[in-house]
């Protein structure tokens, strides 16, 4: 999917998908170890430009945030023969207590309740989206058998 | 989702999900740049232990493979109030011409046809899967309004 001829989505279309979904995948690196994990997120507009917020318990994701590395986040959607995928690249930062309340205004919860959690914000540096047509010639091959 | 109390999936359950899906997300790093991209993949058993194959055109993904970094790959599925997510970590390698034919036996095509493609294999070093209950208290909040 590096094909540059693929139709890119507009910024507005990208944010529409980001606002419509609640599950994405966060990719980050810790000391050369590549990680990817699903997160429940929400778009936050309280600070002006939209950012993404998610909650997490202390652990690998939070460690990556504290280390200050760049992260990448992806959401996608498949409808019929068309798929869309939006990638947000940016820096993640651990919100201090006086900011963490922003999460309370959003439809954002840890999937499995943990009494303690931290709020992380992804501040986008680049948002890109692509649309794909799902050509699946093997489906016909299977039907022919 | 770093909560260690979350129920882990067995290796068999992980591979069942990997075999049932055709779209996943590949995370990789190039010189401190974090990337994540959707890929159409298939499980290949022709070499003994199962691996993942995908096709790609020359570009970012292939560059990461040539650089030999570790990659991480994720698939997930949401059904009702339950979600599952499987993460494969491993090394990606670019298949030489005499091996690339393995992709022809699989339901594997680039989503948008490009006449030239390369076949990449992900050789897993770790496969882990988790199950989540989707608690969504804000759904009730919204309904109450």
């Amino acid at each position: 999917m590096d094909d540059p001829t693929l139709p890119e989505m507009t910024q507005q279309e990208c944010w529409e998908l980001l606002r419509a979904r609640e599950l994405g995948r966060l990719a980050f690196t810790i000391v050369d170890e590549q990680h990817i994990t699903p997160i429940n997120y929400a778009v936050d507009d309280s600070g002006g430009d939209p950012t993404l917020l998610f909650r997490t318990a202390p652990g690998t994701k939070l460690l990556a945030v504290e280390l200050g590395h760049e992260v990448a986040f992806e959401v996608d959607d498949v409808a019929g023969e068309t798929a869309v995928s939006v990638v947000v690249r940016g820096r993640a930062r651990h919100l201090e207590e006086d900011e963490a309340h922003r999460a309370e205004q959003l439809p954002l919860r840890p999937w499995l309740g943990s009494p303690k959690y931290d709020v992380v914000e992804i501040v986008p540096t680049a948002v890109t989206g692509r649309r794909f047509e799902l050509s699946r010639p093997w489906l016909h091959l299977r039907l022919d058998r």
Side-chain angles (χ1 to χ4, degrees), chain A:
Chain A
M1 299 186 187
D2 291 321
D3 189 333
T5 66
L6 291 174
E8 290 210 1
M9 295 163 66
T10 66
Q11 291 293 299
Q12 185 180 338
E13 289 170 331
C14 289
W15 284 103
E16 277 169 11
L17 185 69
L18 285 164
R19 290 175 195 281
R21 308 293 287 177
E22 59 176 4
L23 169 65
R25 298 95 197 162
L26 184 71
F28 56 92
T29 307
I30 301 176
V31 196
D32 286 343
E33 260 192 12
Q34 180 65 61
H35 292 264
I36 185 170
T37 184
I39 59 172
N40 168 229
Y41 74 100
V43 175
D44 179 38
D45 294 293
S46 68
D49 289 333
T51 64
L52 307 180
L53 294 189
F54 67 93
R55 286 194 163 122
T56 185
T60 312
K61 283 195 293 293
L62 200 54
L63 177 61
V65 167
E66 303 288 5
L67 291 175
H69 287 303
E70 187 184 55
V71 300
F73 173 80
E74 194 258 4
V75 293
D76 51 49
D77 192 30
V78 177
E81 299 298 295
T82 303
V84 288
S85 169
V86 169
V87 172
V88 175
R89 288 171 65 190
R91 297 260 161 198
R93 69 189 196 94
H94 182 182
L95 295 193
E96 301 293 334
E97 264 185 44
D98 61 345
E99 283 190 285
H101 67 87
R102 287 163 52 192
E104 289 161 22
Q105 312 305 319
L106 299 172
L108 186 63
R109 295 290 183 281
W111 279 4
L112 238 179
S114 171
K116 289 189 182 178
Y117 52 76
D118 294 272
V119 180
V120 175
E121 177 173 40
I122 302 172
V123 182
T125 53
V127 178
T128 53
R130 285 190 173 168
R131 202 170 275 114
F132 309 95
E133 290 302 318
L134 302 175
S135 68
R136 300 171 175 175
W138 65 90
L139 289 180
H140 304 289
L141 287 175
R142 281 175 175 173
L143 289 170
D144 289 345
R145 278 177 195 163

